[in-house]
Amino acid sequence: MDHLLHLDRTLDELDPPHWAPPAADATGLVRKVHELRRVPLGALAPADLRTLVSQQVALPYVLPLAVRLLIEEPLLDAYFHEGDLMLATVNAPAPAWILFPDLRAQLRAAITALPEAAVARLPRGGAEDLARFVTPPEMPR
């Protein structure tokens, strides 16, 4: 399924079940994620995608959107710092990428094309996160 065909629909529509409103004492992050599930996919900003990916919400729908942005601008500053969307995306759990081998390959290519100086400016651990994503896992013997 091409998950980019549903840009006019929300995660609550595409990723059942519909989430109930957050509890009255929910954190700001929980409230934000609940709110983002009611926004049409095409209206999600880079910061929204970073939040959803880092919280591992509806990854089959948000990973393709994030990768589409990252292919154009790998070190996009979505909210916190340069490369924050990239780091959230490469840290998505490995099973989330099973549906998207082509997107994963495109993202790997974008990462390997980054200048070393740009990678060195990432927050502590960022270069390692990118290297771990780019390096294929070893096959069990």
Side-chain angles (χ1 to χ4, degrees), residues 74-76 81-87 90 111 114-131:
L75 295 177
L76 174 71
H81 54 78
E82 184 179 51
D84 58 354
L85 180 59
M86 173 75 76
L87 293 174
V90 301
I111 292 169
L114 290 172
E116 283 184 38
V119 173
R121 288 193 305 269
L122 292 172
R124 183 181 309 187
E128 292 81 6
D129 290 346
L130 295 183

Side-chain angles (χ1 to χ4, degrees), residues 39-87:
V39 174
L41 292 183
L44 292 171
D48 301 332
L49 293 172
R50 188 207 55 77
T51 298
L52 291 166
V53 170
S54 66
Q55 295 303 305
Q56 300 180 17
V57 174
L59 291 176
Y61 296 97
V62 297
L63 276 178
L65 296 171
V67 172
R68 182 175 67 172
L69 292 175
L70 293 170
I71 289 169
E72 293 176 21
E73 188 178 345
L75 295 177
L76 174 71
D77 180 343
Y79 188 74
F80 291 116
H81 54 78
E82 184 179 51
D84 58 354
L85 180 59
M86 173 75 76
L87 293 174

